[in-house]
Amino acid sequence: MEPTPPPTRRRISAEALRSRHEVRSPEDLQRLSDFNRQIYLPLMLSAILPIVVAVGNASDDSGVSIAVNVAAWIVFIIDLVVHVRLIRGYLRSAVGIFDLVIVIITAPWFLIPGVGGSQILVLARLARLVRLLFVTKGARRAAARLGKVGVFAMGMVLFSSWMAYVAEHPTNPEFATFGDAMWWGIVTLTTVGYGDVVPITEKGRIAGTALMLTGIATLGLISGTLASAFGGHHAEATPPEPQEPPAPPAVPTDLVAELAAVRDELAGLQQRLAAITDVASETIP
């Protein structure tokens, strides 16, 4: 039977296991595991908040936008520096090169006049989301699951939009082109329901019902997957606490006394049996 590995081995995260042959020492391996658990939430916020701020503001000139982007950049610099320090040859690996490129491209170049609106900076901010896939195994599983959900939802949009277009186009002017049907399909799937394009035929409404049910199921799957990825990564890295063996049940005092009395009686019977045996051996020639 193989011995149980020590707790420090079980607490190593997926990111650390990926780099176990490159870390400088076992202690650095454990430090990398701990750091990855601690940096997960800051990395997630640093990848999402700049995109949210960019959507809400047309430019990067506002004070809030500048502060968010600079803080996010600093978080990714810290992540890169720690990995370079703990993993041998990190900048020669594919992930290390990717991290370095993201840090360089997303530097505060937007403070230079005329560079803030560059499309490459927008794409680099989106690429930060990919970095989250390298942090934990749970995040990679979530990305794979979301990809399958996205493919299924897109397939339903295409099929239902085509079905509605074929049914509605001859009689409904709102479905003048397949693009109109696609717009209706996306709005229906996301449960927004603008109401600017409405099917009037039976087949068109059947397609709309299928899209509405698909949208509700898709949103539920996405919410559950994100909750599992962003809230369950600690459970994957931290082993269960060792449990003490249960204490033996207490024996009642009365039972102990009765057992002692029975033992004394057995001892007395044994002595009497021995005496009878001696007498019998003397009387029988």
Side-chain angles (χ1 to χ4, degrees):
M1 183 176 180
E2 297 182 357
T4 303
T8 54
R9 295 286 183 183
R10 293 199 302 268
R11 295 181 65 245
I12 295 171
S13 66
E15 170 70 8
L17 290 174
R18 183 186 60 82
S19 309
R20 63 184 181 275
H21 61 286
E22 298 175 347
V23 292
R24 304 179 189 277
S25 66
E27 292 76 14
D28 288 345
L29 186 62
Q30 186 58 48
R31 294 192 191 100
L32 181 63
S33 174
D34 296 337
F35 174 77
N36 284 331
R37 291 198 306 274
Q38 296 169 1
I39 201 65
Y40 185 84
L41 181 60
L43 273 180
M44 182 182 67
L45 295 177
S46 299
I48 296 176
L49 288 181
I51 299 176
V52 175
V53 173
V55 172
N57 298 275
S59 65
D60 294 319
D61 298 335
S62 65
V64 174
S65 179
I66 292 175
V68 169
N69 282 280
V70 171
W73 182 63
I74 292 174
V75 170
F76 275 85
I77 286 182
I78 294 174
D79 178 71
L80 176 64
V81 169
V82 172
H83 280 76
V84 170
R85 182 168 175 258
L86 297 180
I87 300 178
R88 186 184 300 107
Y90 183 70
L91 292 180
R92 294 193 296 270
S93 65
V95 178
I97 295 173
F98 178 81
D99 285 353
L100 180 62
V101 171
I102 292 299
V103 168
I104 293 175
I105 296 180
T106 58
W109 305 115
F110 53 85
L111 297 178
I112 301 176
V115 182
S118 177
Q119 293 297 321
I120 191 171
L121 296 182
V122 177
L123 294 176
R125 291 170 186 170
L126 293 175
R128 285 175 172 173
L129 295 173
V130 181
R131 178 63 182 87
L132 297 177
L133 302 181
F134 302 117
V135 180
T136 65
K137 185 177 180 181
R140 292 192 290 273
R141 287 199 304 265
R145 186 180 302 175
L146 290 178
K148 295 177 181 178
V149 172
V151 171
F152 173 75
M154 182 57 64
M156 285 296 298
V157 168
L158 292 174
F159 175 76
S160 298
S161 299
W162 171 81
M163 180 178 175
Y165 175 73
V166 172
E168 299 288 331
H169 178 69
T171 58
N172 192 344
E174 295 178 353
F175 286 81
T177 64
F178 184 72
D180 295 334
M182 280 291 297
W183 167 254
W184 164 82
I186 295 173
V187 169
T188 305
L189 178 72
T190 57
T191 67
V192 175
Y194 286 121
D196 54 342
V197 180
V198 180
I200 58 177
T201 65
E202 181 179 356
K203 292 182 179 180
R205 289 175 178 176
I206 292 175
T209 302
L211 272 183
M212 285 185 284
L213 295 177
T214 302
I216 295 173
T218 300
L219 291 178
L221 288 173
I222 292 175
S223 301
T225 301
L226 293 179
S228 175
F230 297 152
H233 64 281
H234 293 287
E236 122 183 333
T238 304
E241 294 293 333
Q243 297 181 355
E244 295 292 336
V251 180
T253 306
D254 297 340
L255 180 59
V256 173
E258 292 178 2
L259 291 175
V262 171
R263 183 184 59 187
D264 294 339
E265 291 180 3
L266 289 175
L269 291 175
Q270 186 177 7
Q271 292 176 358
R272 294 177 184 176
L273 180 61
I276 294 173
T277 303
D278 294 339
V279 172
S281 60
E282 292 177 357
T283 57
I284 298 176

